[in-house]
Amino acid sequence: MQKLSSLNIVLSIIYVLVYLKSGTLHSTAGIFMITVFNWLALRSFQLNDYRWMIWHYLIALWVVYFVGTLVYGAINILSSSIVYNFISDDTIVYLIINSVFCALLIIQLLMYAYKNYIELKLN
């Protein structure tokens, strides 16, 4: 989980630098919440304490919401590419990076939530 959290932080920085030309509140807050959530996962790993507090749940909800918007945007881009029968190399690269980023975020979120569940079950 430590390597996955670090990778998610690196991917979020790459996403900001490469694909976010206009820093709207929604996109900026989403990337910020992803970074904070992964930092919390790294901190939990270091302390070996995976119990979630209220902010873990709130940030996790925001991460799920933001991943949903990323997936929704990717679906719209893919569907318009199919309708117009044109897809550029940049679009393919974006869709691949977006898919990997979203998948890794969901995997990390599920792993972290499972560790929280185990921790709560033991106590």
Side-chain angles (χ1 to χ4, degrees):
M1 192 166 88
Q2 180 184 11
K3 291 179 183 179
L4 187 58
S5 295
S6 300
L7 180 62
N8 283 337
I9 290 173
V10 168
L11 283 175
S12 67
I13 292 169
I14 290 171
Y15 190 83
V16 165
L17 293 176
V18 175
Y19 293 110
L20 287 181
K21 304 296 186 217
S22 63
T24 62
L25 177 65
H26 178 266
S27 60
T28 306
I31 294 295
F32 178 71
M33 291 300 169
I34 288 169
T35 306
V36 169
F37 190 74
N38 284 286
W39 173 79
L40 287 171
L42 287 172
R43 184 173 174 265
S44 294
F45 177 78
Q46 289 175 345
L47 298 176
N48 200 22
D49 179 20
Y50 294 98
R51 285 177 292 151
W52 285 13
M53 302 298 177
I54 187 68
W55 59 79
H56 287 87
Y57 292 103
L58 295 174
I59 293 172
L61 283 173
W62 188 273
V63 168
V64 169
Y65 166 72
F66 188 69
V67 167
T69 60
L70 290 177
V71 169
Y72 179 71
I75 290 170
N76 283 333
I77 290 171
L78 187 61
S79 65
S80 65
S81 296
I82 291 170
V83 166
Y84 292 109
N85 200 21
F86 175 77
I87 189 164
S88 68
D89 292 338
D90 293 340
T91 304
I92 293 171
V93 169
Y94 171 75
L95 290 174
I96 290 170
I97 289 174
N98 190 28
S99 300
V100 169
F101 185 44
C102 291
L104 290 176
L105 286 171
I106 294 299
I107 290 168
Q108 192 260 348
L109 180 70
L110 291 175
M111 286 174 53
Y112 193 24
Y114 180 72
K115 288 191 181 241
N116 175 48
Y117 173 74
I118 296 297
E119 188 87 20
L120 290 175
K121 194 175 177 181
L122 293 176
N123 291 331

